[in-house]
Amino acid sequence: MVARGAVVIGYQYVSLRLVPRVDREEFINVGVVLYAQDAGFLEAAWEIDAARAAALCPTCDLDGVRAMLEQIRAVCRGEPGRGRPVFERAGQRFGWIIAPRSTVVQPGPVHGGLCADPTIELERLLVRLVRA
């Protein structure tokens, strides 16, 4: 919610889904990526509930999933590294992140909203979409 009189910033976001068995199409949300072009903001936040993940797939490699989520966070920040795309603009990096993939960590659909502070909104979305 945006307070009356506050500067309003438009944003887009995707949830990041843990899909341990792609063939079953079952998932739990484990993260959020928020992009606010006007604020020059692109960031990811994530949190894995190990018990929920184990309920879907007891053999899921959570360390590997954490590494994938850290890679996404690094892409958001434009950090160079092996296997990471090199894009100058945040919008290009967001486009790469939201592209569908058939992997264990997948982006959900893109949604939009308005906020006064993208950092606070990212945390709010993490609480709402990821935390139990």
Side-chain angles (χ1 to χ4, degrees):
M1 177 161 267
V2 179
R4 177 176 261 173
V7 175
V8 177
I9 300 167
Y11 67 86
Q12 299 177 68
Y13 74 93
V14 295
S15 59
L16 298 173
R17 299 171 169 178
L18 169 58
V19 187
R21 294 211 21 218
V22 176
D23 59 320
R24 291 182 58 113
E25 298 183 8
E26 298 171 329
F27 68 86
I28 58 171
N29 290 337
V30 293
V32 179
V33 176
L34 189 141
Y35 172 52
Q37 180 177 347
D38 292 344
F41 183 91
L42 176 61
E43 188 59 75
W46 59 268
E47 189 173 291
I48 299 174
D49 182 326
R52 289 179 71 203
L56 282 182
C57 182
T59 60
C60 185
D61 175 11
L62 293 184
D63 288 334
V65 172
R66 287 180 188 97
M68 286 183 223
L69 292 165
E70 280 302 321
Q71 287 282 28
I72 291 170
R73 190 181 324 216
V75 169
C76 287
R77 295 174 178 172
E79 296 172 2
R82 186 173 156 202
R84 291 186 199 140
V86 178
F87 298 118
E88 270 187 45
R89 296 188 338 250
Q92 294 171 309
R93 295 191 300 274
F94 184 67
W96 182 85
I97 290 166
I98 66 172
R101 290 175 180 72
S102 182
T103 64
V104 173
V105 176
Q106 298 179 8
V110 177
H111 301 281
L114 300 170
C115 68
D117 183 328
T119 302
I120 293 171
E121 187 66 7
L122 178 61
E123 178 63 22
R124 188 188 75 76
L125 288 169
L126 186 69
V127 168
R128 189 172 135 232
L129 301 174
V130 176
R131 292 185 183 144

